[in-house]
C-alpha cells in the first residue's frame, strides 16, 4: 500500500522518441499538487490518436511522454483544494476538461473548455524516469499504473462499473455516439451514412439508431467489418471498391438525392469531401469526427454549401465531459448503451506494444484495452 503524498514508483509505457516503440519503464509519479488528483489506473484503451502522436505526425507532440487518454481507475490521493474527489472514488480521466467557469463551459453551444492544455495546470510534470522529466498527454496519460490529472479533467462514475469496459467511454465510443445525438442531432426517420466502421463509426451507427434513423448506411473498404456494423444497427453496407463511380455518387443514387446526415470517421480529407457531397441538397449535414494528418486541408466546391449542405466537426461528441460521462456510464449499466461489444482484445499492460501492432495490422475493428 502506498502512502499518500509520497512519490510512487510504478510501471509506465514511455514514448522516448517519435516513431519508436513504447518502452515499459519504472517511473516516479510525484504527489498531486493543488487542484490535482493522483489515480491508480486499472485499465486503458488504445486509440489511433495515441498512435498518431507516437508516429511523430502530430505537430503538437512532445517527447519523452506518457501517452494514453482512454482510461479508468481509482483515486489514490488528492491535492490541496480538491473537494469533489476522495481516495477510493471510481473515476475516468477526461481529455476535454470542464472547469465550469470559462466562457466555453458556460456556453451551451460547445463542450470545449478554455483550460484545455494537455498538461497539468501549472505547466509542470509529475512524471520522471531515469532522472528525466516526462511530458503528460492530453491531460490524462493513462499508459501508466499511476497518473496525475487536474480535478477538472476527471469524472466520478458508478463504483459498480467494470473499469476494463467503461474506460472506452473516455474517448471513442462517446465521440462517435455523441456526434450523432449532439452534433448532428439526427432525427427520427432520417437516412444516415457512416464512413469508416472502426470504433468511431460503430459508435456513430449506434447513435443514429438511438435517434431513430430509418436507414443507416455503413461505408468501408474492408468488408470484414460489415457483419459487426449490421449488429450495431447498420441497415445497408457499401464497399466503395465494388463500384466504378465515386462513393458519393453511389450514395446519392441509393437515397434519392443524398443522405440527411453523414459522418466521417476515418480522418481522411478526401473522404470528408465525399461524406459532404453524399448529403442531400437543401438540408444535408456532414460531421467530421476523424482527425486528419497535420497539414491536410479540406475542400469542396462552394456550391455544395450554397445549396444548403452543412459541414460540422465534433470533439468528444459534443458532450460536456464532467456532466456527461457519469450519465453515459449509467446508460451502459442500465443496458441502454453498448460498450462490451467494442472490446475485441485484452492484453496485460506489459504487452501494450502488441496492441499497437494489432491496431496497425487492422486485426481489430472495434476497441482494445490493456489491464494495468
Amino acid at each position: 500500500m502506498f502512502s499518500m503524498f509520497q512519490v510512487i514508483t510504478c510501471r509506465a509505457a514511455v514514448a522516448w522518441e517519435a516513431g519508436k516503440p513504447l518502452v515499459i519503464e519504472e517511473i516516479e509519479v510525484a504527489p498531486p499538487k493543488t487542484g490535482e488528483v493522483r489515480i491508480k489506473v486499472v485499465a486503458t484503451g488504445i486509440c489511433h490518436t495515441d498512435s498518431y502522436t507516437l508516429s511523430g505526425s502530430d505537430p503538437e507532440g512532445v517527447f519523452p511522454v506518457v501517452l494514453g487518454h482512454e482510461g479508468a481507475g481509482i483515486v489514490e490521493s488528492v491535492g490541496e483544494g480538491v473537494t469533489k474527489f476522495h481516495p477510493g472514488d471510481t473515476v475516468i480521466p477526461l481529455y476535454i476538461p470542464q472547469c465550469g467557469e470559462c466562457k466555453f463551459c458556460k456556453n451551451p453551444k460547445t463542450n470545449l473548455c478554455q483550460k484545455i492544455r494537455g498538461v497539468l495546470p501549472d505547466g509542470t510534470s509529475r512524471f520522471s524516469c531515469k532522472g528525466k522529466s516526462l511530458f503528460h498527454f492530453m491531460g490524462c496519460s493513462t499508459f501508466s499504473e499511476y497518473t496525475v490529472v487536474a480535478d477538472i479533467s476527471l469524472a466520478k462514475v458508478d463504483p459498480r462499473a467494470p473499469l476494463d469496459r467503461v474506460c472506452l467511454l473516455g474517448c471513442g465510443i462517446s465521440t462517435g455516439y455523441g456526434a450523432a445525438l449532439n452534433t448532428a442531432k439526427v432525427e427520427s426517420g432520417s437516412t444516415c451514412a457512416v464512413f469508416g466502421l472502426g470504433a468511431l463509426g460503430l459508435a456513430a451507427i449506434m447513435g443514429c439508431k438511438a435517434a431513430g434513423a430509418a436507414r443507416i448506411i455503413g461505408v468501408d473498404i474492408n468488408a470484414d467489418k460489415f457483419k459487426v456494423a449490421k449488429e450495431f444497427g447498420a441497415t445497408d453496407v457499401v464497399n466503395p471498391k465494388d463500384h466504378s463511380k465515386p462513393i458519393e455518387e453511389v450514395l446519392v443514387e441509393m437515397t434519392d438525392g443524398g443522405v440527411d446526415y453523414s459522418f466521417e470517421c476515418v480522418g481522411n480529407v478526401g473522404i470528408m469531401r465525399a461524406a459532404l457531397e453524399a448529403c442531400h441538397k437543401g438540408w444535408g449535414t456532414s460531421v467530421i469526427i476523424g482527425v486528419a494528418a497535420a497539414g491536410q486541408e479540406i475542400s469542396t466546391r462552394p456550391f455544395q454549401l450554397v445549396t444548403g449542405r452543412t459541414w460540422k466537426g465534433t470533439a468528444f461528441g459534443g458532450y460536456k465531459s464532467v456532466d456527461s460521462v457519469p450519465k453515459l456510464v449509467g446508460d451502459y449499466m442500465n443496458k441502454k448503451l453498448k460498450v462490451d461489444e467494442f472490446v475485441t482484445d485484452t492484453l496485460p499492460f506489459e504487452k501494450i506494444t502488441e496492441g499497437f501492432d494489432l491496431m496497425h495490422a487492422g486485426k481489430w475493428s472495434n476497441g482494445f484495452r490493456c489491464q494495468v
Side-chain angles (χ1 to χ4, degrees):
M1 178 68 69
F2 295 106
S3 299
M4 294 182 187
F5 310 121
Q6 293 183 354
V7 172
I8 289 177
T9 299
C10 68
R11 295 180 305 167
V14 177
W16 287 106
E17 298 178 58
K20 298 294 180 64
L22 299 175
V23 180
I24 301 295
E25 302 277 15
E26 188 173 90
I27 71 167
E28 295 78 43
V29 183
K33 293 186 177 181
T34 301
E36 298 174 359
V37 179
R38 188 162 60 183
I39 305 162
K40 176 178 173 56
V41 179
V42 174
T44 183
I46 295 177
C47 177
H48 280 279
T49 303
D50 301 310
S51 177
Y52 172 66
T53 298
L54 182 61
S55 71
S57 299
D58 184 353
E60 298 182 359
V62 289
F63 297 87
V65 63
V66 178
L67 298 170
H69 64 285
E70 215 174 37
I74 306 296
V75 172
E76 180 270 340
S77 58
V78 300
E80 185 179 347
V82 175
T83 59
K84 295 181 180 179
F85 300 96
H86 302 88
D89 285 345
T90 302
V91 292
I92 292 178
L94 309 167
Y95 73 88
I96 293 184
Q98 186 184 349
C99 72
E101 300 173 352
C102 71
K103 65 180 181 180
F104 290 91
C105 285
K106 291 180 178 180
N107 192 323
K109 295 180 180 180
T110 183
N111 66 326
L112 300 181
C113 176
Q114 203 163 9
K115 295 185 179 179
I116 293 177
R117 297 186 63 189
V119 295
L120 293 177
D122 67 356
T124 63
S125 173
R126 304 293 164 268
F127 298 130
S128 60
C129 180
K130 301 178 181 178
K132 296 182 178 180
S133 178
L134 307 176
F135 286 101
H136 291 247
F137 180 67
M138 296 178 71
C140 297
S141 292
T142 58
F143 289 176
S144 174
E145 292 178 317
Y146 284 84
T147 189
V148 177
V149 305
D151 62 351
I152 61 173
S153 298
L154 199 61
K156 185 188 301 185
V157 301
D158 189 333
R160 299 171 300 166
L163 300 187
D164 60 351
R165 295 294 198 260
V166 298
C167 64
L168 298 179
L169 291 172
C171 183
I173 297 176
S174 304
T175 299
Y177 189 63
L181 296 176
N182 303 325
T183 307
K185 294 181 170 58
V186 170
E187 298 165 317
S188 178
S190 59
T191 296
C192 304
V194 177
F195 291 73
L197 301 178
L200 285 176
L202 294 177
I205 288 173
M206 187 166 61
C208 292
K209 181 179 179 180
R215 192 176 185 188
I216 306 169
I217 305 169
V219 181
D220 204 293
I221 59 173
N222 184 352
D224 292 341
K225 297 182 179 182
F226 290 166
K227 180 177 182 293
V228 174
K230 289 182 177 180
E231 292 172 355
F232 272 77
T235 58
D236 305 76
V237 288
V238 179
N239 188 336
K241 291 183 175 181
D242 294 338
H243 300 270
S244 58
K245 295 181 179 180
I247 185 60
E248 56 269 32
E249 293 183 17
V250 173
L251 293 175
V252 167
E253 291 181 2
M254 285 179 62
T255 57
D256 188 26
V259 300
D260 301 308
Y261 301 96
S262 69
F263 302 87
E264 198 281 345
C265 306
V266 180
N268 179 293
V269 294
I271 299 175
M272 292 173 188
R273 178 170 184 167
L276 174 74
E277 297 180 3
C279 286
H280 203 291
K281 179 171 62 176
W283 62 77
T285 295
S286 185
V287 180
I288 296 172
I289 308 175
V291 178
Q296 297 288 303
E297 296 183 353
I298 56 174
S299 64
T300 191
R301 292 179 296 119
F303 191 71
Q304 293 287 333
L305 302 177
V306 170
T307 51
R309 297 172 185 82
T310 301
W311 220 349
K312 308 179 76 172
T314 190
F316 199 55
Y319 284 113
K320 297 274 191 182
S321 59
V322 172
D323 293 339
S324 301
V325 168
K327 296 176 184 177
L328 290 168
V329 171
D331 285 345
Y332 161 69
M333 297 294 287
N334 292 320
K335 302 187 184 304
K336 296 179 181 178
L337 180 68
K338 292 180 184 291
V339 174
D340 295 351
E341 293 82 354
F342 282 87
V343 178
T344 56
D345 293 274
T346 303
L347 291 176
F349 182 57
E350 59 270 17
K351 294 186 177 181
I352 191 170
T353 56
E354 294 183 21
F356 278 84
D357 292 339
L358 287 169
M359 179 170 64
H360 295 149
K363 298 298 184 183
W364 59 277
S365 61
N366 307 1
F368 182 90
R369 59 188 179 139
C370 282
Q371 295 286 155
V372 179

